[in-house]
Structure formats: structure tokens, C-alpha cells
Amino acid sequence: MVETNEGGHDGVLRFPEGFLFGTATAAHQVEGGNTNNDWWVFEHDSSSGCVESSGDACDSFHRWREDVALVADLGLKAYRFSVEWSRIEPSEGEWSIAMLDHYRRICAACVGRGIQPVVTLHHFTTPIWLSKRGGWESRDAPERFARFVARVVAHLGDLIGMACTINEPNIVSVMGYTLGEFPPGLKNELGRHRAVNEAMIRAHHLGVEALNSGPGDFPVGMTLAMSELVAEEGGEKMRDAARELMEDVFLRELRDDDFVGVQCYTRTRFGPRGTLGPEPGVAPTQMGYEYWPQVVEHTLRRAADVTGIPVVVTENGVATEDDKERVAYMRDALSGLHRCIEDQIDVRGYFAWSLMDNFEWNLGYRPKFGLCALDRETFERRPKPSAFFFGEVSKRGELVV
Ligand code: GCO
């Protein structure tokens, strides 16, 4: 159905010139063979609750050229990926020039195809040498991270389009120290959870400094997992506590950054004793949480409001076998984003999670977030209709609603 709305567009939502439509991956979820980080150890620990090993993942370590070509051929403007610390610094203070060259080649290929390389410096995984001495709880972890960042930027900073310091520090801490689903697999360790939040904030600030010392001149920010947090009857205190611990503690620290990366998927409801499951009548996705594309508009407004800086949706998507549902989800998500732009919120881009079906951490390969399907025997990537839909939106700079 074509609607005319008050903004004057005739069923067509136009995005501003230069708005970045992109897609995202993370090293451990797509590269394969990342045997030197804490996640590999965790996946292979039978008591961790992980359903399977990341194994070869999508073999992107070897097939990254195909990945970059796919992003470009679809008509997207940016590729967000992460560099794997445990490959670049395989043991403390030992640097792999070959690996730095590897990531430099990926950046160069992006630039060569006219797409922006958006580089994430830490996406959940920590080298074994650091996790052995306490990971983010180790006294000098922020300094060790900053030293790694400095090394990376010295090698490829001139090619970086945008940089994200730490991906979802709030998920690293909540999953690792409160819920026990990510390394180090601890539960209800609130004091340690808070300490890790603080360490990652310090690491972020040191990382920003390192990234800003060049070479290169590109926007730098943190990416944060955000949710639409709602209180049901009596759930206000729980909701507010979660908002502080999971979001505001970070958002308040980002006011001097170039942008804040919002990563959002769903809504979280709170009752007097904590989180509630999906509301009856709201369908769960393959992740078990609510199908809730409205989250994009909600979290963009909140992130912009609290930080006062430009916002980028650095991840959004849905885990489903039904690709039509993915198109519907993205359409709603992008419409909400567009309402933010109409309200003068400075939204700079939208990155679909993910380029292809990949390793969804403790849940293994079952959840399907990809714009492209992956054959796990041949590693063939096959674009789904949602990939072409999103590519069209990017090429035209507009969404037909
Ligand atoms: C994240 C995670 C991704 C997940 C995605 C879907 O940054 O949240 O980085 O690694 O795969 O969020 O759950």
C-alpha cells in the first residue's frame, strides 16, 4: 500500500546524501580457525553450555575477497568487520606483521571497491595470553588494549573509514559475569561485572586516543547493545537498574566521541523480579526474544538524547529462517530510523547484521541473521532476497513504503 505522509514523500522515504548503508561481521563469527582466543577455549569446554565450536566458521579468513566483492556488488557503501587481536598479537608483545598486512589488504580491497572499511578493534574475543591472567579484570588490560590499537592504526590507519573501539562492552560484562553465557562463564558476580564495565570504559578512552593519533583521520566511537527497556506492573526499579548498568554507565562516557554505534534487536520487559519473556502475542525470533523492529527508533532517540553526538546503527537485524520476515523487519526498522532523521536527529548510517549466516556465539550456527546464506560444506555465499532488497535501498538512497 502506498501512503502519502505529511513529510511530502509519496510513499518514498529519502535518506540524506552520504547516509551509509552497510553490513557487518565479526572476526570470530566468520573467519574460522581462531584457536588462540578465550572464545575458542570456552566453546571447547563441555561445561560452558556452548552448542558447538566455531570451527571453520565461514572461512572468511581465506574468502574475505569474496565477502568484500559481495558487499560492493550488492550496492552497499560500507563493510564493518573486526580485526582479531589474538592473530595480531599472538603472545604478549609479539606482533604479527603478516596478520597486520592481512587486515590492511581487506581495508585496501574495500577502498578499491568504493566501500568504507569500518574497523572494530575488539569484538568479544580476547587473546588467550590476556584471558589467562584475568582478561578484562587484569590490572593492565586497558593499556594492553591501547597498545594493540596503536599498533593496528600505525599499520592501516590511513585506510580506515570509521573505527569502533570495543563492540558491546555491556554484553561482554553481562554475559560473562552475570549470566554465565560468555567467557569467563561466571554468574551473579555483580561487583566483577561493574569492574569489567569500568575497565572497558577506560580501554575505550585509551583506544580513542590511540586511534586519533593517526595515521588517518576518521570518526571514532564505541558500539553499544541497546534494547527497548520496558517496565510492566511493578518492574520500574528493575528496568531502571538495568538501564543504568547496561546502557547509561557507558552512554555518559561517550559525549566527546565522534559517534555512538547503536546495536539493537529487541525489547526487554521487566517485572518486579527481573526480566520477563516475550509478551503473549509478540512472536519470538530464533533468538527467543521478541520480534521488535520498533527498537531502532526507540534506541536511536535515547542514544542521541543522552550523548548529544551523531548516531549510527552499527548493527540491527533478525534471526529467522523466513527471509520475507527479514525484509519486513528491515523495512520497519528503516522507517523508524527515518522518523528520527525527520526529527533532526543526526543519524549517519545503518549496518545490517549480518552479511551472511554465521557463528552466533554460545548458540552456534542455528540462528540465521544473514543477508546471504552460507553453505557450510562448500562455503558458497548465496544472497537471499533481503540482500537485494537492502542493496536497492542503498543504491537509490530511498525506501519505498
Ligand atoms: C553483537 C554481536 C553479534 C551478534 C548479534 C546477533 O555485537 O551483538 O556482536 O556478534 O551476532 O548481535 O546476536
Side-chain angles (χ1 to χ4, degrees):
M1 191 182 80
V2 175
E3 287 175 359
T4 308
N5 69 25
E6 289 169 4
H9 27 60
D10 199 5
V12 174
L13 306 177
R14 270 219 68 77
F15 289 83
E17 199 62 43
F19 186 87
L20 268 192
F21 288 100
T23 184
T25 60
H28 195 73
Q29 297 181 270
V30 300
E31 283 184 349
N34 268 323
T35 60
N36 194 25
N37 66 36
D38 58 343
W39 260 95
W40 185 266
V41 175
F42 194 66
E43 284 153 46
H44 291 82
D45 173 349
S46 56
S47 67
S48 71
C50 288
V51 312
E52 58 192 317
S53 155
S54 54
D56 286 332
C58 311
D59 195 29
S60 286
F61 185 73
H62 301 105
R63 294 168 200 263
W64 59 268
R65 285 180 189 81
E66 280 177 57
D67 298 342
V68 171
L70 250 180
V71 176
D73 290 344
L74 287 171
L76 302 178
K77 308 287 194 296
Y79 181 38
R80 173 173 175 249
F81 60 92
S82 72
V83 295
E84 175 60 32
W85 188 356
S86 66
R87 289 187 188 267
I88 293 172
E89 190 179 4
S91 84
E92 183 164 9
E94 183 179 329
W95 304 97
S96 168
I97 308 294
M99 288 301 160
L100 286 164
D101 283 348
H102 167 80
Y103 291 111
R104 185 172 173 85
R105 283 193 289 272
I106 300 180
C107 290
C110 288
V111 173
R113 290 296 310 263
I115 57 186
Q116 272 206 35
V118 178
V119 177
T120 301
L121 280 298
H122 184 277
H123 197 124
F124 292 172
T125 53
T126 298
I128 286 178
W129 61 261
L130 183 56
S131 76
K132 270 197 179 146
R133 59 162 205 256
W136 287 107
E137 291 184 284
S138 135
R139 199 179 27 82
D140 62 349
E143 285 74 20
R144 293 290 79 97
F145 174 68
R147 186 175 64 165
F148 156 70
V149 174
R151 193 70 193 216
V152 172
V153 74
H155 208 87
L156 44 88
D158 57 317
L159 296 174
I160 292 179
M162 253 169 89
C164 311
T165 54
I166 302 181
N167 182 76
E168 300 189 352
N170 52 345
I171 294 298
V172 173
S173 58
V174 75
M175 295 293 262
Y177 296 84
T178 290
L179 300 174
E181 292 174 13
F182 279 19
L186 302 172
K187 288 195 179 131
N188 302 319
E189 292 282 356
L190 185 60
R192 295 170 72 177
H193 178 159
R194 287 212 174 96
V196 167
N197 279 356
E198 272 168 36
M200 295 185 105
I201 288 168
R202 200 152 68 79
H204 167 71
H205 289 312
L206 294 174
V208 169
E209 233 175 83
L211 287 159
N212 282 338
S213 42
D217 183 13
F218 44 82
V220 176
M222 175 194 269
T223 68
L224 200 65
M226 293 184 71
S227 182
E228 184 165 338
L229 305 171
V230 224
E232 301 298 351
E233 183 80 45
E236 290 77 8
K237 262 177 88 173
M238 283 291 186
R239 190 254 337 255
D240 293 350
R243 178 174 284 167
E244 176 61 23
L245 183 70
M246 293 288 299
E247 299 188 355
D248 290 359
V249 104
F250 296 95
L251 289 173
R252 281 197 296 272
E253 292 285 335
L254 308 182
R255 291 175 176 144
D256 295 327
D257 291 352
D258 300 317
F259 70 92
V260 49
V262 169
Q263 319 208 137
C264 54
Y265 293 89
T266 192
R267 176 175 79 149
T268 314
R269 299 160 62 237
F270 291 84
R273 276 182 299 283
T275 52
L276 305 169
E279 184 176 353
V282 181
T285 72
Q286 283 183 315
M287 298 296 283
Y289 50 60
E290 289 180 339
Y291 174 99
W292 199 255
Q294 300 94 310
V295 71
V296 169
E297 178 172 3
H298 178 88
T299 52
L300 279 175
R301 288 184 190 278
R302 225 177 89 67
D305 195 39
V306 180
T307 63
I309 60 175
V311 277
V312 179
V313 177
T314 38
E315 283 181 22
N316 173 248
V318 60
T320 178
E321 289 283 356
D322 176 1
D323 194 57
K324 287 200 181 73
E325 188 172 68
R326 191 178 337 276
V327 173
Y329 183 99
M330 291 174 87
R331 196 185 284 285
D332 282 354
L334 288 166
S335 303
L337 184 153
H338 197 270
R339 285 191 287 277
C340 294
I341 294 177
E342 285 175 349
D343 286 345
Q344 314 303 324
I345 297 174
D346 189 357
V347 191
R348 302 277 171 95
Y350 173 95
F351 288 70
W353 183 269
S354 178
L355 173 60
M356 59 199 146
D357 294 334
N358 62 39
F359 178 68
E360 183 56 27
W361 308 107
N362 53 319
L363 303 177
Y365 288 96
R366 184 177 163 266
K368 302 286 189 283
F369 277 99
L371 297 174
C372 302
L374 175 83
D375 181 322
R376 296 203 53 229
E377 299 287 320
T378 63
F379 301 108
E380 188 199 339
R381 289 101 163 94
R382 243 172 293 113
K384 304 174 189 176
S386 58
F388 298 116
F389 158 79
F390 187 48
E392 273 311 298
V393 172
S394 171
K395 283 189 267 189
R396 292 161 174 259
E398 60 188 34
L399 172 72
V400 181
V401 287

